Amino acid sequence: MDQIEDLFRVSSLPNLAHTIQLALAPVFLLNGIAAILNMLTGRLSRIVDRARAIELVFTPAGDPAHARQVADLRLLDRRMWVVNNAIFTGTASAVVLCVVVAFMFIARLAGFGFARTLAAMFAVSLLLLIASLLLFLVEVRMAVQAIRIRDELLERR
């Protein structure tokens, strides 16, 4: 028991304050990830609402609107898949970042030296965040394609 207490003993209050500062610096990134995840869940909610609205007025196979509804539902299904994966990678980024913060704090208090591992984990967190943002970009492009007004409605020649 005394060994554990010695392991986590900080020699001075300024050292403890510095340790907390080092461990919490990446938390600002975590706040940004949380905002991105909030936005992505909002987009997913809107996509689901749109799919349900189409399902309510879904027409039988012989109806002229049927093909358009099926195409819209397929696109919405694809967009849901992309946003869901963006949420997954964004959440994974946040989890890895939380592990980095916790391990930074513990490593500093305990005197462990695995900075390279923590740096690699931080890089993984950033790569996951990049993947999430790229998926968001793909979904936005899909959404823009979906809302383009068909030429026949614009009466273009």
Side-chain angles (χ1 to χ4, degrees):
M1 186 72 164
D2 288 335
Q3 291 174 343
I4 293 174
E5 288 177 13
D6 288 342
L7 189 64
F8 289 99
R9 186 168 292 142
V10 177
S11 60
S12 69
L13 191 57
N15 282 348
L16 177 61
H18 184 66
T19 299
I20 292 171
Q21 286 174 341
L22 287 176
L24 292 182
V27 173
F28 293 108
L29 177 59
L30 191 60
N31 189 33
I33 294 171
I36 292 168
L37 289 173
N38 186 39
M39 178 266 311
L40 288 170
T41 56
R43 290 188 72 83
L44 181 60
S45 177
R46 300 276 315 259
I47 295 167
V48 168
D49 290 345
R50 179 70 184 126
R52 287 184 179 153
I54 293 172
E55 288 173 358
L56 288 176
V57 296
F58 198 71
T59 58
D63 193 288
H66 181 76
R68 180 81 174 151
Q69 290 171 336
V70 170
D72 287 347
L73 286 173
R74 285 180 180 161
L75 180 61
L76 290 170
D77 183 61
R78 180 79 175 133
R79 286 178 59 200
M80 281 189 274
W81 184 87
V82 171
V83 171
N84 187 46
N85 282 300
I87 291 170
F88 176 80
T89 55
T91 303
S93 173
V95 168
V96 172
L97 188 59
C98 287
V99 170
V100 167
V101 169
F103 282 2
M104 281 176 66
F105 189 72
I106 291 169
R108 176 80 173 161
L109 287 177
F112 297 143
F114 49 93
R116 286 187 180 153
T117 302
L118 291 177
M121 289 175 67
F122 185 74
V124 167
S125 177
L126 291 178
L127 290 172
L128 287 166
L129 179 59
I130 290 168
S132 180
L133 291 171
L134 288 173
L135 287 166
F136 167 64
L137 183 62
V138 167
E139 192 277 327
V140 167
R141 299 291 294 172
M142 293 171 73
V144 167
Q145 274 186 320
I147 62 171
R148 284 203 174 137
I149 300 171
R150 297 184 315 258
D151 284 338
E152 64 266 16
L153 296 176
L154 295 173
E155 298 179 5
R156 291 186 179 162
R157 294 181 187 184

